[in-house]
Amino acid sequence: MEPASEPTGKPRRRRKEARPHEIIVAGLAEFAERGFAATRLEDVAARAGIVKGTIYRYFDSKEMLFEAALSSGIGSAFEALPEIVADYEGSTLDLLRLLVGRLYETLFTPEVELLARIIISEGQRFPAVAELYYRLLVGKGRDVLRRIMERGLARGELLPSPLSATPEALIGPVVMAIVWNTIFGRLDPIEPKRFLDAHLDLLEKALGHNG
Amino acid sequence: MEPASEPTGKPRRRRKEARPHEIIVAGLAEFAERGFAATRLEDVAARAGIVKGTIYRYFDSKEMLFEAALSSGIGSAFEALPEIVADYEGSTLDLLRLLVGRLYETLFTPEVELLARIIISEGQRFPAVAELYYRLLVGKGRDVLRRIMERGLARGELLPSPLSATPEALIGPVVMAIVWNTIFGRLDPIEPKRFLDAHLDLLEKALGHNG
DNA sequence: ACAATTAATGACCGAAAGGTCACTAATTGA
DNA sequence: TCAATTAGTGACCTTTCGGTCATTAATTGT
């Protein structure tokens, strides 16, 4: 179907250092699109500009590549948060606004959406992956939320209540927005900015004491 | 490993009417556990007490079985809601409480959790399935929410705001709870009742005008 | 410059699984 | 009761794909 039109000058370069990362990037794209089971290593290789066999020089199996790919993507996006919370001077509401704003900024970005798609669709089937993300991201976010609420209680800005005991509910809307876009994005995408506005409005109504 | 201990009296019954449903139930369990691609039709058959070939008497392909299974599970759980909203006498807050309470009751049930797991993990890859659920469930829920907000605005109970324009944010916590349990349920399950309390608390704080 | 090393290749293997079909036997109905 | 019908079976076909390995050629070190 393609005679010798383009001789495909394939000089066969050796690039020991660059390869693993390229394979991982290609893998993430394929895994996000097709899911783990339906992803073909040959397609990953093609996307990375190499051949299937080469993958095995860097990764022992499809599953190892999968886990390596998901591990590689864990940014330290929330690394700075505990410090920010500790040093913060303003109101609890403003602190929550800051946190939620960061969440939208961080999560609605092409690379993170890619990762989110994979975790949402495969997380339950790969305990190691779920645990990794729980420990390094979700659990940390939870701790930060808890600390914010404790701080609010200590400063007398809020009273003990079901909500202060389960502050995770406060970030429900962001999670919903991501999942929604993952599943129904083609039919009826959520505009992050619009959702953020509604979310901030909800926080303010629920926790602001003005009037 | 099992000589002739139990001769397995397999009388080979013919049950034209019961079979399709049994296959669908077996399929749902397998699809939820392993995902579409990794599910083996032989396992589905075994679970249904038949043999792989028999599946093909009722379904043309694995994909057809998948779609049939997901279609079959669509309960009319929200069917009654529009009427309830139309006839409701109480406050907007109470109406929302009612709605949210129903959501928790409906969604945190073994069968629905099974379906949720499948939709969350495979929805993006099966546009037909996503569309079906969007039209029959999600879209309807959205309409109900919108009508509740319109009603609240008309009755002067709430003012136009980012939140009233994007009321989906109000049910974020339920969605989060389901997705959380799907992905991190083994590590740190969310107790629906506790989350419901926090959610109701959030609604009340955000929309109640007392004090 | 050239030998040793090793990244990269692509042909190949074997198992797994979707799907088919000729056959078996339970059901139906005349 | 017995022939016609058809649900159910299981052996089989075919393709796909994860994984292997002998071979090739780019790189490295001396």
Side-chain angles (χ1 to χ4, degrees):
Chain A
M1 283 303 167
E2 195 173 3
S5 59
E6 198 168 332
T8 320
K10 225 185 192 177
R12 191 195 215 190
R13 286 278 138 71
R14 291 174 65 170
R15 301 182 312 127
K16 181 180 163 59
E17 319 73 31
R19 234 47 128 167
H21 183 245
E22 288 173 2
I23 294 171
I24 280 176
V25 169
L28 282 175
E30 291 289 322
F31 288 136
E33 196 173 324
R34 323 230 187 248
F36 175 79
T39 288
R40 287 170 300 215
L41 250 27
E42 236 164 62
D43 291 346
V44 174
R47 195 183 271 256
I50 54 176
V51 129
K52 188 175 59 170
T54 305
I55 292 177
Y56 285 88
R57 195 156 305 275
Y58 299 100
F59 303 96
D60 290 340
S61 68
K62 189 184 180 184
E63 206 163 324
M64 298 282 268
L65 168 60
F66 183 71
E67 296 189 357
L70 284 183
S71 306
S72 85
I74 292 190
S76 46
F78 301 147
E79 209 75 358
L81 285 180
E83 238 181 304
I84 292 176
V85 172
D87 298 352
Y88 202 75
E89 303 277 336
S91 71
T92 299
L93 178 57
D94 281 341
L95 190 44
L96 280 171
R97 274 202 192 101
L98 183 74
L99 171 70
V100 169
R102 290 228 175 182
L103 278 177
Y104 279 85
E105 270 173 32
T106 312
L107 298 177
F108 289 91
T109 196
E111 313 93 61
V112 175
E113 278 177 332
L114 213 70
L115 283 173
R117 196 166 286 154
I118 301 177
I119 294 158
I120 288 170
S121 66
E122 304 283 12
Q124 38 164 316
R125 255 161 251 131
F126 291 85
V129 169
E131 202 184 332
L132 188 73
Y133 276 81
Y134 179 77
R135 282 211 333 270
L136 270 55
L137 275 186
V138 186
K140 249 164 206 169
R142 228 171 90 130
D143 293 345
V144 168
L145 258 179
R146 290 207 178 290
R147 223 163 304 149
I148 292 176
M149 294 315 261
E150 278 164 23
R151 178 178 169 281
L153 289 168
R155 291 170 48 133
E157 287 180 285
L158 27 91
L159 300 172
S161 70
L163 184 57
S164 71
T166 307
E168 295 87 351
L170 288 173
I171 60 165
V174 216
V175 177
M176 174 180 175
I178 295 173
V179 175
W180 178 287
N181 271 353
T182 296
I183 302 178
F184 302 116
R186 291 181 201 183
L187 298 169
D188 178 12
I190 280 180
E191 182 59 48
K193 272 173 210 140
R194 217 177 55 120
F195 224 74
L196 170 59
D197 287 342
H199 195 163
L200 291 177
D201 193 21
L202 175 64
L203 285 181
E204 185 174 320
K205 284 187 164 73
L207 300 171
H209 313 196
N210 21 339
Chain B
M1 283 301 169
E2 197 175 2
S5 57
E6 200 168 333
T8 321
K10 226 186 190 176
R12 190 195 216 191
R13 287 278 138 70
R14 290 174 66 170
R15 301 183 311 127
K16 182 181 163 59
E17 319 73 30
R19 233 48 124 169
H21 183 245
E22 289 172 2
I23 295 171
I24 280 176
V25 169
L28 282 175
E30 292 289 322
F31 288 135
E33 197 173 324
R34 323 229 188 250
F36 175 80
T39 288
R40 288 169 300 212
L41 250 26
E42 236 163 63
D43 291 347
V44 174
R47 195 184 271 257
I50 54 175
V51 129
K52 188 175 58 170
T54 305
I55 293 178
Y56 286 88
R57 197 157 300 275
Y58 301 100
F59 303 96
D60 289 341
S61 68
K62 189 184 180 184
E63 206 162 323
M64 299 281 268
L65 168 61
F66 183 71
E67 296 190 357
L70 284 184
S71 307
S72 84
I74 293 191
S76 45
F78 301 147
E79 208 75 357
L81 286 179
E83 237 181 303
I84 292 176
V85 173
D87 298 352
Y88 202 75
E89 302 279 335
S91 70
T92 299
L93 178 57
D94 282 340
L95 189 45
L96 279 171
R97 275 200 191 103
L98 183 74
L99 171 70
V100 168
R102 288 229 176 181
L103 279 175
Y104 279 84
E105 268 173 34
T106 312
L107 298 177
F108 288 93
T109 197
E111 313 93 61
V112 175
E113 279 177 333
L114 212 70
L115 283 172
R117 198 166 286 155
I118 301 177
I119 294 158
I120 288 170
S121 66
E122 305 282 11
Q124 37 166 317
R125 256 161 250 133
F126 291 85
V129 169
E131 202 185 333
L132 188 73
Y133 276 81
Y134 179 76
R135 282 211 332 270
L136 268 55
L137 275 185
V138 187
K140 247 163 208 172
R142 230 172 87 134
D143 292 346
V144 168
L145 259 178
R146 290 208 179 289
R147 222 163 304 151
I148 292 177
M149 294 315 262
E150 279 164 22
R151 178 177 169 282
L153 289 168
R155 292 171 46 133
E157 288 179 284
L158 28 90
L159 298 171
S161 69
L163 184 57
S164 72
T166 306
E168 295 88 350
L170 288 173
I171 59 165
V174 215
V175 177
M176 174 179 174
I178 295 173
V179 175
W180 178 287
N181 271 354
T182 296
I183 301 178
F184 302 116
R186 290 180 202 184
L187 299 168
D188 179 12
I190 280 179
E191 182 60 46
K193 273 174 210 140
R194 215 176 58 119
F195 224 72
L196 170 59
D197 287 342
H199 195 164
L200 290 177
D201 193 23
L202 175 65
L203 285 181
E204 185 175 322
K205 284 187 165 75
L207 300 171
H209 313 197
N210 23 339

